[in-house]
Each structure stands twice: as structure tokens, then as C-alpha cells.
Amino acid sequence: MKVGIPRAMLFHHYGEYWLNFLETLGVEAVVSEATTPDIITSGAVHADNETCLPVKVFSGHIIWLKERVDVVLVPRVVSEQYGTLACPKFMGLPDLARALDPDLPPVLAPRIHLADRRYLWAREWYSVARALGGTRLASASAVAGLLYGLEKHRVQARARPAAEGMTVGVAGHLYNVHDSRASLGLLDRVKSMGANPVTVDQVVPSRARMQAETLSRRIFWGYESRLAGAVLHWSRTRSVAGILYVTSFACGPGSIVGALLEDQLGREGSVPLMTITLDEHAAEAGLITRLEAFIDMLRRARRSSPGGLSVGGAQGVRS
Amino acid sequence: MKIAVPRMGNLSLIIRDLAWRLGLETVETPVFSEETMEIGSALAPEFACLPLKAVLGSFVQVLELGADTLVTGGGHGPCRFGYYGEIQRRILEREGKSFRMVVLEPPSVGIKAFHDSLRSLLPREHVRLGVLLNELARTMSKVVVFDKLEKRAMALRGLETEPGATDEALAEAQGIVSGAYTRKEIEVARLEAEERMRQVPVDNARPYLRVGLVGEIFVVLEPFFNFDIEHWMGRRGVVVERAVNIADTVVPMGRNPVFGYTEQAVAQAAEPYLSHEVGGDGLLTVGASVIFARRGFDAIVHFLPFTCMPEVIAKGVLSRVAAELDVPILSLSIDEQTGRAGVETRLEALLDLAWSKRKFVRGLAESRARA
């Protein structure tokens, strides 16, 4: 039996643990290929036209898997941290996948609800493991491995290669930033312009959480709370020269958190922030021009005042 | 302290009632207009959803009318609504307005948070907890009566023999209930109001369509944003039933007294299509659509603000509901650019489709009976 996993959405957060889970069970896993323009196009055709870019990309990956696998694994992520919830799109993702195409293979949707008691949802993974043909022992060990991995992911930051030169914070969803097609190669472009990009998953979660707690109203989306914390951390410690806020068109939490961060950073005086909005029509030329302008501005500011540029009131460039 | 609350369907009647009971001083929020939307969209973040922009616009208007305390709802997600108050406060502060924003947390966030935010709205003199709870309970029972009257009016409008008779009766009935204070008075007023509604002359022989109305509560309840669909449908002899009501969201334990199906029943109906809560009214939209389809409704209209997260999921899933349960569903996403003509053309097409489907089904049954 072949189990398909779309290389989209939360695969970029939890993919390695899902693959480990399937490997422990001895089931063959098929991960869809890296996003291509064709996948984005077929996703945009099949998905509802109002959804955000990542859901369209996800739909394209599901369609890609349709002919190639026997079942599809789309875990339902309800929360990623204590006291928070995930974006509603993650909660409805398996149901959206099922509604995409009537001929789709069955969709397995065990829950991940890290804010809740483990035994309430871990058993769903156990039944999935059993249904995939795992023995009792293999299933239990696969679930235990998964829980361990998720816990590690929750508290640890991803390692960051040491690098010289100017650092630029890239605040965006991992499934946009780490998908080089959806983000039009944003990270590579920043690197080729001579700056070191640092992403949200490279900030220690506890530090981000501490910063996020200083906001006047708690952000109730798990990942956005971490993102806002990371941005405040970068800005308050001046550990980056500038911040790129990457969001996708029609991203719900992104629209609110973006406005919140612009306001908060404007009030306390921060490093420059530029907002980049991605959609399936994004053209490279526009992105490159804006990135070049932003990075040139940061570089010039560094040359004139070694401490970096501080912008009070205005929020730098907005695109 | 002059309190202002955003407008939404019957909410203004409820606020008037609470103000009367608790001695609050309120400022009537102006009805939504093009101007409100212009102010709101100019200030709000570009990709925020319609209710945020609309409410922000009306807050600016009501501050100019002399309000100093703005009240809005809270929540702990995952719908964006829970963060509206914070964003609106920051934007209005940036605009240099002076005011106090009170975010009324629902009891699900925490009884204490709910109680504290409510207390902060009361005038200086002390109100005992028992009195407060009693008044709230009375208002709540009044809300249920208001919404039930409205539900009845939506059904009658499609059947009335003289145009406008239902609206006249509804206004009178609402007046009767508004004056009631104690529980007993509310009960008497309810009977009297229902009697008044019964006097609307109806034509039972005329064939009519039944249309279910689902979607996000703000655009479904506010006539300015749904182009007054209830009257529009009524004029075309359509009986409308609405799944979302203010009373259903304030009555605890998910009993949904006005819609008539408990939260569990709705979740069970939605289960084959959407098997998890998605925040906002997403699950209700799917569950109610399934319930309407099973009850043999001729069509379902789904209203959502553009990019609303829970409703976009519901919209994606509803295409499957429509195909499997064989019921036409029209999703209309509304933003500040939506034009009346476009919406009305699509609604007319939906009604035509429903009529021809009914004729087709009847023809099929007759040919079967002959054979």
C-alpha cells in the first residue's frame, strides 16, 4: 500500500515526523514532488477561488497524488502550542481535500492537537497505524516516535548556519518561505543579494513566546503567535538589519497579524519592515526590484550608522 | 459614559433593552451606508474581512456623534473576529481619537473575563450579581422572542396577500415585546405578538419555493450587506428560513432555540462533509445546509464576507453537499465592491433553476405514475 503525503502546508513543519511514523510502520510513503508551476495551476483550477495561495498549492499536490497512491495522509492540525489554535484552514484541510475531486483515494485525517491532552488524539494516530497494517507493537512505537518528534519540534529551534554579513529576518509561514516555487525563490534571492536570511523556525520558541506575551492582547493562532514573537525579538534585540513580512493573498491570520505588527513596530521604533504578498500570479520581476531596493536601503543605512536603521512611526517600504 | 455597540440585525433592539434595564447611556450607531464603508476601508488593513471594515467605519461615525465607549465582542479564535477589537483600537488611536474600547469576552473564554468586561460597562452605582444575572436572563428570553418573530415574518412574507402586511405586523409585534419588563410580561407579550402575526392574511393555495439562508452571521443579518435578501425573496413569493440568529449564539449550551436544531444535531448533519469545528459559523453553515437539503428545500443561499476563513472552508465543502444531496447552493461572497445587480441576477437565476427543477421532478413523478 502506498501512502501519499502532499508536500505542502504543514508538511514543512511536521513532514519528517510523519515520514518517520510511516517508516516505523513499514509502509511505503510517496511525497509529492516539489511545487511546480503546473501544480500551482492545477491547484488554482480545482480549489475554491477564494482560498489562500498555500491551500491552492496544497490542492495541486493532492491532485498530483491522486493517480499515484492508495490513500492520502492529511493530518488535521488543530493546535500547535498550549493555549492557541491553528488557522481554521488547517482544521478543515482534510474535508477540503475530500471535496476537491470525487475520485480521490481515501483521506486519512488523524488529529494533532498539541494544546490538548495527548491521549485524546494520539489514539487516532494509533488507529491509522493499525489500519495501515502495523502490528500493535509497531503502531505503538510509531505513535510514540511521532509524539516525541512533535514535542521536540515545539521546543527546539532549527539550527542556523553561521554566516558573516548583514542578516535579514524573513517572517512568513514556513510553507511559503520554504517552498521555493510559491515564494519565487525568496530565500535564495536574498542570499544572492549578499544578505543572510533568518526564518521564524530559527528563533528559539521560548524566546518568541516571551516576546509575544508582551502584546496587549494575546494572539490565539499558534504559528502567528510564534511569528509575531520572533519579529518582536529580532526588532527589539536589533539582531537583524531589516524584516521581510511574507504573507499570501487572502491569508486570514496574516492580514490581522500584519496590521498588528506594523502598528506595534511603528509605535516602539523598529528596524525597517517590508510586507510582501504572494499569490499564484506573482511575477518575479516585481519581487526582485522590491527586494533589491529594500536590501540596498538597509546596506546604505548600515554604512551611515553602524547601529543600523531605526524607523519610528513609518514602517519602511510596503508593497 | 456613552456606550456604542456595532449594528447587526436585532442587536440594536437588544442593546436598547439592556440599556433600559441597567441604566446605561447609549448612542445609537448609524445604519450602514456607502459612507461607513468608505471610512472603514480607508482605515482598515487591506485584506481584513468585511465586518472589520464595516464596524470600524461605524465606530468612526459614532465617535463623531459623541460616544466615548466602544463595545465589541471578543473570543479566542480561530476566527479573526476575536482580534477585531484590538486592531480597531490601535487604528482609532493612531487616528487620534479618544475613547475606551471594551472587548466583551464570551463566557466560553472564562466566566471571570466575561463578568469583568461586562462590569466595566455598568454605571457607577453598584449592581448586585443576582440582579445583573436576572436582567441578563430576561433580556436573553426577549432576544429569543424577537428572533422567533422574525423567523415567522420571513415565512409569511412569501405568502402574504397584501404586500407590506407582514412588515407592519412585525413592527407592531416588536413594539409589544419591547415594552415587556418582567418574565411574566414577556410571556404575555409573546402570546400577544404571535397573535398579531397570525392576523397577516396569507394565500395558502399559491405554490411557493422554500429557500434556506446560511452563512456568516454579520452579512446574513445586516440587510445593507445582503441587499435585503429577506424582503427581496419575500416579494418573489419565496419562504425563507435562516440558520443563523443572534438568539442562538447567546443562549448557552448550544441549544439553538430559534433555528430548532441543537449544536450536536448540526455537527452530526455536517459530519460526512466537515467533521471538525472550524471556528465562526463554518460548521453551522455546512450542517444547516445538509438539514435544509434533507427537509426538501428548493435552494440554499450562502453568504460570506470575502476571504472569511471558516466560510471559505464551508464554501469548498458545500460544492460536495450540493452534488451529493442534489440541492442548488449559491455562495455569494460579499465585500465593499460587491454590486447589487450582480447579486440579484444570480439570485434570480437560482430561483429560476429551483422552479424548473421542481417542475422536472413533478414531471418525472407523473410519468412514473402513468407507467
Side-chain angles (χ1 to χ4, degrees), chain A residues 7-317:
Chain A
R7 191 188 292 274
M9 299 295 270
L10 293 169
F11 178 82
H12 296 281
H13 293 217
Y14 302 123
E16 53 175 308
Y17 314 116
W18 298 343
L19 290 175
N20 269 341
F21 174 80
L22 294 177
E23 199 185 320
T24 318
L25 293 173
V27 184
E28 188 189 346
V30 178
V31 182
S32 56
E33 60 176 358
T35 312
T36 60
D38 285 344
I39 286 186
I40 298 188
T41 312
S42 89
V45 169
H46 283 87
D48 185 76
N49 51 8
E50 249 176 79
T51 52
C52 49
L53 173 70
V55 171
K56 287 178 182 168
V57 172
F58 167 84
S59 309
H61 282 276
I62 290 277
I63 299 297
W64 188 91
L65 285 170
K66 185 179 136 188
E67 300 290 328
R68 295 176 168 86
V69 296
D70 306 309
V71 285
V72 184
L73 178 69
V74 183
R76 193 191 296 276
V77 178
V78 183
S79 64
E80 299 177 81
Q81 268 183 47
Y82 289 108
T84 65
L85 286 168
C87 167
K89 301 254 168 75
F90 299 152
M91 300 186 190
L93 208 54
D95 298 299
L96 277 182
R98 285 181 192 128
L100 271 184
D101 195 318
D103 305 325
L104 214 64
V107 176
L108 295 174
R111 266 187 313 155
I112 291 182
H113 193 352
L114 292 170
D116 206 356
R117 287 150 293 178
R118 300 293 186 268
Y119 67 88
L120 288 177
W121 52 270
R123 63 171 76 163
E124 293 181 14
W125 283 89
Y126 182 76
S127 4
V128 164
R130 295 287 287 154
L132 290 175
T135 60
R136 286 209 185 98
L137 183 66
S139 303
S141 109
V143 173
L146 179 87
L147 290 178
Y148 177 74
L150 293 178
E151 194 57 27
K152 204 174 78 184
H153 178 90
R154 202 175 62 79
V155 296
Q156 274 180 10
R158 208 161 56 83
R160 192 180 146 204
E164 297 273 305
M166 188 172 75
T167 317
V168 174
V170 180
H173 285 106
L174 300 183
Y175 45 75
N176 283 335
V177 173
H178 287 208
D179 186 328
S180 59
R181 181 65 220 174
S183 69
L184 302 170
L186 184 82
L187 291 184
D188 291 333
R189 283 181 207 283
V190 172
K191 266 182 219 152
S192 70
M193 288 172 195
N196 297 308
V198 45
T199 50
V200 173
D201 52 339
Q202 289 165 340
V203 176
V204 181
S206 60
R207 206 167 285 166
R209 201 174 318 129
M210 215 168 66
Q211 294 286 358
E213 288 297 321
T214 62
L215 287 168
S216 47
R217 186 177 170 87
R218 231 177 69 194
I219 299 179
F220 41 65
W221 299 291
Y223 186 76
E224 271 70 18
S225 158
R226 187 168 165 193
L227 183 146
V231 167
L232 292 175
H233 167 73
W234 288 333
S235 158
R236 287 173 181 169
T237 58
R238 293 287 189 274
S239 55
V240 298
I243 298 169
L244 286 171
Y245 180 68
V246 183
T247 179
S248 32
F249 180 75
C251 173
S255 67
I256 295 288
V257 172
L260 175 80
L261 284 176
E262 276 185 14
D263 186 79
Q264 183 65 28
L265 296 182
R267 280 172 195 229
E268 57 190 48
S270 84
V271 297
L273 175 94
M274 175 164 84
T275 303
I276 290 178
T277 307
L278 301 170
D279 66 14
E280 66 266 34
H281 312 296
E284 297 187 350
L287 179 76
I288 296 173
T289 314
R290 267 172 269 168
L291 276 183
E292 276 174 348
F294 187 65
I295 286 173
D296 280 351
M297 181 188 80
L298 296 180
R299 195 167 286 135
R300 189 168 303 168
R302 263 164 83 89
R303 231 177 284 142
S304 56
S305 73
L309 181 69
S310 169
V311 181
Q315 290 93 38
V317 195

